[in-house]
Amino acid sequence: MVSWHIRGEMDEIDVDQSYAGHPTMFSIRMHHGGDFTSFPGRKYIRGKKTFVDLLDIDTFSVHDIDEMMEDLGYASIGKPLYYHFQRPLGDLDFGLFALASDEDVRYLGSFVAKHKLIEVYIEHDKTTLHTYLMSPTHSKVRITEITEPPSCSKTLFLEWHSTPVVDLEDDMDHMEKESGNDPTPTGHLEKDLGNDATVTDHMENDLGNDATLTDHMENDLVNDANDFGKFGELESDNDESDDSDFFVDIENILDDINVDMQDFEMNIDKDVEWVGGSSNTVVDEGTQDEALEVINTDFLASDSSSDEGINGQRKKSIRAIQRAHENDEALVSEPFYIFQKFGSAKEFKDKVKLHAIETRRELALEKNDKNRVRWVCKGTIPKLGPNVEVNDEEEICPWVLLASKWKKDVNWTVKTYNKVHKCLQTRTVKACTYKFLSSKIVEQVESNPAVPIRALQEQLQRRFKVDLSRMKTFRAKSEALNLVQGDFVTQYSLLRDYIVELQTRNPDTTVRVDVESEGNPHSETRTFRRIYICLGALKKGFAAGKRDFLGFDGAFMKGPFPGQILSAVGLDGNNGTYPLAYAVVETENISSWTWFLSCLGEDLGLNTNSNFTFITDRQKGILNAIADLFPCAENRYCVRHIRDNMRKQWRGKPFEDLLWTCATATHVQQFNKGMEELKKLNKDCYEWLKKIPPQHWSRSHFTGRAHSDVILNNLCETFNGKLNEGRDKPIITCLEFIREYLMKKIVNVEKAIGKCTGPLTPTAMQTLENIKKQAEDYRSVFCGNGKYQVSGPWMDQCAVDVVQQTCSCRKWELTGMPCKHAVATIWEMRKNSKDVGIPETWVHEVYWLKTWKQMYSFKIEPINGRSMWEKSVCPTTLVPPKHHVTIGRPKKKRRKSAYEIDDMVKGNSASRILQSVTCSKCNNIGHNARSCKGQKANAPSGSGGPGGSGKGKGKAG
């Protein structure tokens, strides 16, 4: 018999007083019919609340919640339900736990004695949380991988079952087999989840330590964002600080396909020699064959160019064979032997240097000319013992090695070799130079360019048993990177050859190179200034996307030649980024932006009368360039940058909320209402914001020709984040990194398209489904001439014109997707048996699946390696731009804005950076009493200001 009681939200009672003296009794406040927002700041929206009283934790189970949901009318829906409870005093970000098994109920019961009201949240159809993966048992949860998901990305589907999956009493043997002789459901789930750890212990540790639980759930959320490629907020820039954004445009969350660029360095051919560089192929000549089974016939050849008789030649050959047999043992263990031949003096010297490093001896050149090379050992010979005679003459180590070249002979032959050492080994060997070390770490640096210097230093010290400084290891790694990537200076001379190969393999590709003006027209060199690239496949794909919308932004280079990477990024029908063009320029100013936009306008066929839509930050260079080249274009400002400028004078959540309200308003009346509220809050802030024309930052003044209401420039920030690992490379390597990323991105998106079904893209389908849920509460009335009056809750009433496909709320006009009023109108038209089709047919074609597929049908073609590039016919050679050495250590991290510094946390307290400090002596702002120097301005009488009291305690006091 049901002992609990359901009451409405308005019937408030004092639960703690009602259950006084009953430690096992409690109540539940159920939140149902809604959805969770994204992390962080998670909320439960569009839901209803219902109270359930008179519950006893001793008899309570998950099945009781099933019956409650049936009483609330959810039994006929047929969709899975997911139950979560909130830990008392916790928030929705880290305080939610699954309520799917008896273990979960027992954990909930640990709070009932002190907290009589428990918050329970219901998710319908699917879950977006990780609480079910953290559940102590798997009797209620089964993780199933969908082989053919309805969406374009592979996901993990959590299927809720009302009955246990395994009966522990009837099938204990089966459980022991699957869990590794662990007859508990915990062992079974541990195997299902990857045998990481016992899940029960894991939960106890997490629940016992809030910090551990927070870290665990934050890592889960970060991994989930990486898997699905959602870019509602700005991504972190690797070694750069996170660029977190307060504003999250939920309606325009970017859905970008992930592209793996970790193996970019593996595509570079090590055997290719860059001009001015050296080959990456390193031959270790210090190894010899361990066994000699065949006599080397090279000893039968005469090493003398003199004319001898047959008998003398025969005797000489016999002696050579005898010496070869005598040196058989030496060949196995010794790197040198008499009559050993080398092709050149350099080969011989390199072999001796390697031997010096391997044996840790201080070998030095005593003779080095065209015919002879003599090595001796300069090591220290110990003088130990009481009977050692003191001699002024220093004893010399007997080790010596001589190689010479006979007349008219090409080879160098070892003539003298004494392998005996009397000196001590040393850990400081001059032959161990950074160039030698770089040849030993080429492969490691190629596979992992970000390997730490400390790790390389320790590895090389263990390998060669010598002392290495950190600076020598740094130079060795830099040399190895030059061998792998090509030298920074050298690649500029090969840039024209790269352009020829790029345009040959990718037809209709535009490449423009701008150089510095040269006073001497007969000079054979030109100084590089800028380069612009727009691949032919990207131009065709952007035109097929049918959306005249582009975002512009710049990112700085990190190499020895400072510069900026300018990019133009569009949006596809799935709210994914579609980069169109990119350029490397000297700096971000009016001249560089004008040049970049001029090249882009020629590729897209734009002129001064073109009605295009751009979104940028408020950098003066790009604003002036757009105004001069495309005066008729719609130029939107990124609201995040406006917020950053506002926070310099007016900080606080009320200002930011009103700014976001005005920016997201879709009609003028709503915008004016938000501005009036801002005026009441602070008139100065209102006057400052009023100076920015609303047609640049508010949706209420946007036109609908872009079919997008985006107000944040996240698409460019996302693309810049992908290029982070390529911005510190030489010019050709950097350009190749960008091209390879775009090539992989197109292929990955095409794979995702092949898994999608339906008339619209996955993001558009999800957006339309959310609109349909909102449209269920609206009623449409036909008014004639294709016009309808649509009314709904909260006095929301709009006029819809199905002929013009507009609505007075303007969302249909802005986005090209029917709003909730239009969907309600379409349903009303279908009731009257009109052939109007489903709401999907009224969506603009930029969101169609076939448009998305056509957009990514154009592929970027691969190019050949450096050794196969055709030589450019240009008579001049490019040289690097002038490098201006700045004072101090070069900075590689992004410069933080004021609001990021202001939000920093130091230890357990908030930072006071950029906060105003008022002096307690003179009441002036900007210093404290300790550093006060007796300022007189704004100081009241008796406070240390006028009158000299403050001055007397200043510097002279």
Side-chain angles (χ1 to χ4, degrees), residues 265 445-446 449-450 476-487 730:
E265 300 294 342
V445 172
E446 180 186 15
K477 180 184 176 182
S478 300
E479 182 69 16
L481 284 173
N482 289 338
L483 294 175
V484 173
Q485 301 174 352
D487 188 73

Side-chain angles (χ1 to χ4, degrees), residues 825-860:
T825 301
I826 295 172
W827 286 343
E828 179 66 23
M829 295 169 62
R830 290 178 60 86
K831 288 181 182 178
N832 298 327
S833 301
K834 293 185 178 180
D835 187 14
V836 295
I838 58 177
E840 284 77 2
T841 59
W842 294 79
V843 178
H844 195 273
E845 58 182 342
V846 298
Y847 301 103
W848 292 356
L849 184 62
K850 65 177 184 180
T851 303
W852 192 32
K853 184 176 182 180
Q854 178 68 18
M855 191 175 188
Y856 287 90
S857 63
F858 303 98
K859 306 297 187 300
I860 298 176

